Amino acid sequence: MQDAQPHMPHFAQDPAAFLKALYDVAVQRALPLHNTAAHLPTPPDPAKGRTLVLGAGKAGGAMAQAVEALWPLDAPLSGLVVTRYGHTPPRPAGLPSRIEVVEAAHPVPDAAGLQAAERILELTQGLTADDLVLCLISGGGSSLLTLPANGIDLQLKQDINRQLLASGANIAEMNGLRKHLSRIKGGRLAAACSPARVVTLTISDVPGDDPSIIASGPTVPDATSCADALAILQRYAITVPDSVREALQSGIWETPKPGSPVFAGHRVHMIATPQQSLEAAAAAARAQGLNAYILSDEIEGESREVGKVHAALARAAAKGQGPFIKPCVILSGGETTVTIKPQPVGTPQGRGGRAGEFCLGLAQALQGQPGIWALAADTDGIDGMEDNAGAQVNPDTLARALAWGHKVDEHLQRNDAYGFFEALGDLVITGPTHTNVNDFRAILVQ
C-alpha cells in the first residue's frame, strides 16, 4: 500500500514537470497511511468495551482505510466516516472492510451529508467509559458533517454557506460561525460521545494547525462565542433570518468551552500538517542542488494579492536581489481567500478557486519575467468547486494568453482563473488525492 517516490525531473530541463513533482512529494507526505500508525491508541479490552470510528473530511476515506490496515485484526472495529463525492480511494486487495464510508457534497452541504451526520450522532448513543471513539477529522468536514441547529433547515444552511464562500471570510471566521449553527460541530460530537474515551486523529488544512478550526472542531473545545458568530455575520453582511440572529444573541447555541468535563481524558493527534509537506518538497528541491525557501505554511489574504507579493519576491531573486539566492524554489502554504466580484447582468459567472486566482495575480505581476515558473494547487486535488487542483505559470504565459485573446485583467474581474488557464492548457489536474493539507505554492527561479 506504500506509494512509490515521485519521479523528479531535472528543474532546468523541464521546470513545469519538476514543480508538479514537488507537489506530488508534498501530497505524498500527507497521505494518511504514512502518518497514522504512531498515533493509534491501544484498543480497549474486548470483554469490556468496543472501538467506534467516526469521522468527516476529504481525507476521511483514506484515513478509514489506514486505520483498517493498521488496527489489530482480532480487535473489534466498526464505525462511519463521511467524505466528499469521489474522494473514497480504491480499496486495496485483501483489506477487510470494517468502517463504512459514505459520500456527500462539498463545499455546499447536501441531504447526504445531513443524513450522515444524523447517523454519526446516533452511533454515539449507549457508549460507556470502557469504549473508545476514534475520530478521523480532516479539512472539508464542516460541509460534510452538517447537522443544523434547531430552527435551521438544510436549505438555509446551504444559503449561509454560499454567502460565506463568496464573502472573502477566512477559514477561522467561516468555521467560527458554522460551529454556532450546528448540533455536531464545535465540540458537540465529543459531548455526545461522553463518557467514552475519545482520541482524535486530524490532518490540518488550516493556518496555525488549530484543531478547533479544522472541520469546525467537532471533538475539541471551542473558545469562540455566539457573540463572535454575530460579529462575523455583520462583518461580511451575511443575510440570515431574524430567528437565527436572535438565537445567537440569546446564547442558546453556545458551544462546549475549554475546561468542560466532557473533554476530560480526550487526546488529539495532528498526524499531517502543511509545514511537513512543505519541508518534504524543500528537501526534494535541495536534493537537486537548488536553494529552497519556505515563506510560511500560514499565509492568508486575498489570493490575487498574495500572488502579487510572491511575484515581487521572485522577480527580486531573478535579478539577484533580495534574500533569496537563485537558482531556488520559493514555497508557501496556508489558505487564501477569493472575494467574488459582482458582475453586470448577462456576464457569465467565472470559474476557479484560490490556487487559480493566485496564479492569475502572480502572472499579472510577473509580466513575463524570464526564468520564473510557478505552480499553485490545493493538496486535496480540487481547487474550489472545479475539477482541477490548480494551475501553472510559465515565462510565456501572458504572451500565449494574448495570442488567444485572453487578458488577465478581464479574467480577474470575472474571477475566471479556470477559463484563463484552461485555454492555455496550464490547468493542473490530478483528481482527488485522498488527503488535504491545503494550499501548496512553489515558484522556481533560475
Side-chain angles (χ1 to χ4, degrees):
M1 292 176 65
Q2 293 286 341
D3 295 320
Q5 288 295 319
H7 171 65
M8 293 298 300
H10 193 273
F11 67 88
Q13 296 170 352
D14 194 340
F18 169 74
L19 291 174
K20 174 57 170 57
L22 286 187
Y23 168 83
D24 292 340
V25 167
V27 167
Q28 187 180 86
R29 177 62 181 84
L31 291 176
L33 188 63
H34 302 168
N35 300 286
T36 299
H39 303 289
L40 286 177
T42 303
D45 181 346
K48 295 181 179 180
R50 61 192 176 99
T51 300
L52 176 66
V53 178
L54 305 174
K58 297 176 191 174
M63 295 178 82
Q65 287 187 7
V67 171
E68 288 173 325
L70 297 166
W71 201 252
L73 287 175
D74 59 352
L77 186 72
S78 64
L80 175 64
V81 171
V82 57
T83 192
R84 183 175 179 167
Y85 290 123
H87 282 243
T88 304
R91 177 163 293 275
L95 180 65
S97 178
R98 297 192 277 176
I99 303 167
E100 183 182 358
V101 177
V102 298
E103 297 183 344
H106 177 280
V108 178
D110 67 354
L114 176 62
Q115 183 181 39
E118 289 173 337
R119 290 183 60 200
I120 284 172
L121 210 55
E122 288 170 1
L123 287 172
T124 66
Q125 297 178 11
L127 289 168
T128 72
D130 293 317
D131 295 323
L132 167 68
V133 180
L134 191 58
C135 290
L136 310 179
I137 303 299
S138 58
S142 289
S143 298
L144 297 165
L145 197 66
T146 187
L147 195 58
N150 293 326
I152 299 179
D153 61 17
L154 178 60
Q155 185 175 356
L156 176 56
K157 194 71 177 286
Q158 292 171 327
D159 178 63
I160 293 171
N161 256 35
R162 290 190 182 96
Q163 291 184 69
L164 282 171
L165 291 168
S167 70
N170 65 36
I171 189 63
E173 293 169 320
M174 285 195 283
N175 287 357
L177 176 59
R178 287 165 169 163
K179 283 186 278 194
H180 291 88
L181 305 181
S182 171
R183 287 184 282 136
I184 198 167
K185 301 184 182 75
R188 292 187 177 93
L189 177 57
C193 291
S194 184
R197 178 167 59 110
V198 176
V199 175
T200 299
L201 306 184
T202 187
I203 294 178
S204 174
D205 72 325
V206 303
D209 303 331
D210 183 345
S212 73
I213 299 176
I214 302 166
S216 297
T219 63
V220 296
D222 176 33
T224 69
S225 66
C226 284
D228 295 324
L230 276 169
I232 293 164
L233 287 178
Q234 182 173 351
R235 186 177 308 137
Y236 294 100
I238 306 298
T239 303
V240 296
D242 290 342
S243 58
V244 171
R245 198 173 297 275
E246 290 165 1
L248 290 172
Q249 289 170 341
S250 72
I252 63 171
W253 289 344
E254 201 49 89
T255 49
K257 301 303 174 197
S260 169
V262 301
F263 302 108
H266 291 199
R267 296 288 180 268
V268 178
H269 301 288
M270 198 74 60
I271 70 169
T273 68
Q275 183 67 24
Q276 291 169 350
S277 287
L278 292 174
E279 288 173 354
R286 291 177 185 128
Q288 286 211 15
L290 283 167
N291 295 309
Y293 305 98
I294 299 176
L295 295 180
S296 172
D297 69 335
E298 300 185 35
I299 291 179
E300 299 179 88
E302 195 69 25
S303 295
R304 64 182 67 190
E305 301 304 324
V306 173
K308 292 175 184 177
V309 172
H310 281 60
L313 296 172
R315 285 171 63 91
K319 297 174 183 177
Q321 303 169 354
F324 305 139
I325 300 172
K326 66 176 185 179
C328 68
V329 168
I330 302 169
L331 300 164
S332 72
E335 181 163 1
T336 58
T337 54
V338 174
T339 303
I340 304 299
K341 294 180 175 294
Q343 300 297 316
V345 176
T347 302
Q349 178 63 50
R351 299 171 62 191
R354 301 187 307 265
E357 186 133 335
F358 167 90
C359 287
L360 275 183
L362 179 79
Q364 183 186 53
L366 284 176
Q367 288 296 307
Q369 175 77 40
I372 299 177
W373 289 259
L375 176 148
D378 198 312
T379 53
D380 69 0
I382 304 295
D383 187 23
M385 300 177 68
E386 304 303 333
D387 60 1
N388 66 313
Q392 290 190 296
V393 175
N394 304 327
D396 64 350
T397 291
L398 293 187
R400 286 187 293 125
L402 285 174
W404 285 96
H406 294 276
K407 297 179 181 179
V408 173
D409 290 349
E410 293 177 357
H411 282 265
L412 278 171
Q413 180 60 38
R414 297 197 309 273
N415 299 108
D416 187 31
Y418 189 98
F420 183 88
F421 289 106
E422 181 184 39
L424 302 180
D426 287 340
L427 293 175
V428 175
I429 298 177
T430 65
T433 64
H434 310 124
T435 190
N436 181 22
V437 287
N438 231 317
D439 299 343
F440 174 85
R441 296 176 286 268
I443 303 175
L444 171 65
V445 184
Q446 294 195 42

